[in-house]
Amino acid sequence: MSITGDIKETLEIQINELEALQAVYPKEVSTSDHGNIADINDYIAGKTIDVPLRLEYEIEVPVDEVVVELLINLPLDYPNVSPQVYCRSSALDREEQLNFNKNLILFCESQTKGEPIVYYLINWIQDNAKQYFKRAEEHRNKKIVRKVSEDNSNKNICNEFGRYWIYSHHIYSYIKRRNIIDLAKESSLTGFSFIGKPGIICLEGMLDDCEYFWQQIKSWHWHRIIIKFIEKDFEQTDDFNKYRKFTDFQELSFVNCDRQTNHTVPLNFKNDTSQLLKFLRQHNSEHAFNQIFGFDTKCTE
């Protein structure tokens, strides 16, 4: 069978699995880009030769009275390879969310290739989530007790401020993009996510929060992602705003293309890095461009 034939076959399996899940969970399953589903169906039917973007959707999995969001990102050759999955829930703290996702991925990768497995992932979540909820609640109770004592004994101890600069081969996935924003806001981090190809993420805030963010996202499936450099060794202060270069966390995209929607960017789209340089100059961060891309911006002008 040709490569095109292989892709058509796997995409048809993906669409059939999604429709079956929607029949069982009509209110719980939602898709991020209905236009992409139409593109996939057109490709399967032979109406277009343009390979569509990956299929992405999410499922709200009920566990007693708690909801676990299961985010699904399917490679074009799924189910012959494992899907990219990520879970989150308000009932999980940072540590248990990390543990939960590590074990979910291990379970996912242990499944037989060639057969759809999302339904089994839902079952795994329903069977195992409670133990993570319980440990997260125990952690919260311990932190409350510890915080009371620390507030009295460590009033003058300040947390360290830092800034992480992360480089990725690309950032296209809507699920990854949304999780990046949610993680940053959850940890009171400011900065930006520059989507497309290449992808750049800047984080600034408490060093522990930046490191937690990094540990979370690097466990996702990436073509390539690395920390380019870290800015730290700032004087301790109880007011991080004096060091921040950004007032919030935002997503940047300099995509001038009709194919872009609120959810997707064109596959293999290469970003206009000159616009990124302009943005960094506006935020007194031109030095970061030099270190990320390895050349002096003064020479490029």
Side-chain angles (χ1 to χ4, degrees), residues 120-237:
Y120 298 117
L121 300 182
I122 295 172
N123 286 340
W124 186 92
I125 292 169
Q126 292 175 326
D127 291 341
N128 293 275
K130 292 179 187 177
Q131 60 181 304
Y132 298 93
F133 295 163
K134 182 179 179 181
R135 285 199 293 266
E137 184 62 26
E138 291 172 351
H139 295 165
R140 292 188 187 98
N141 292 336
K142 289 179 181 178
K143 286 180 180 179
I144 291 173
V145 173
R146 187 165 60 247
K147 187 177 186 304
V148 171
S149 60
E150 288 179 351
D151 284 346
N152 294 325
S153 59
N154 298 324
K155 288 183 179 179
N156 295 323
I157 295 179
C158 300
N159 294 305
E160 293 183 84
F161 179 85
R163 187 177 297 110
Y164 276 41
W165 294 91
I166 299 169
Y167 176 93
S168 171
H169 179 268
H170 63 261
I171 303 175
Y172 295 131
S173 166
Y174 171 62
I175 290 176
K176 284 180 181 175
R177 289 162 52 194
R178 193 178 68 175
N179 287 340
I180 286 170
I181 293 171
D182 288 347
L183 276 172
K185 291 183 177 179
E186 172 191 320
S187 301
S188 299
L189 297 173
T190 51
F192 64 87
S193 174
F194 180 56
I195 65 172
K197 179 180 181 182
I200 309 295
I201 302 172
C202 171
L203 309 164
E204 56 180 15
M206 191 187 305
L207 268 176
D208 286 348
D209 290 333
C210 292
E211 180 60 23
Y212 169 75
F213 181 103
W214 166 243
Q215 292 299 326
Q216 285 277 58
I217 69 165
K218 78 173 185 178
S219 67
W220 305 344
H221 291 268
W222 297 90
H223 184 281
R224 179 175 183 242
I225 190 166
I226 59 171
I227 295 178
K228 274 292 187 175
F229 67 102
I230 299 174
E231 297 178 77
K232 54 182 182 178
D233 298 325
F234 294 89
E235 290 185 8
Q236 288 193 343
T237 177

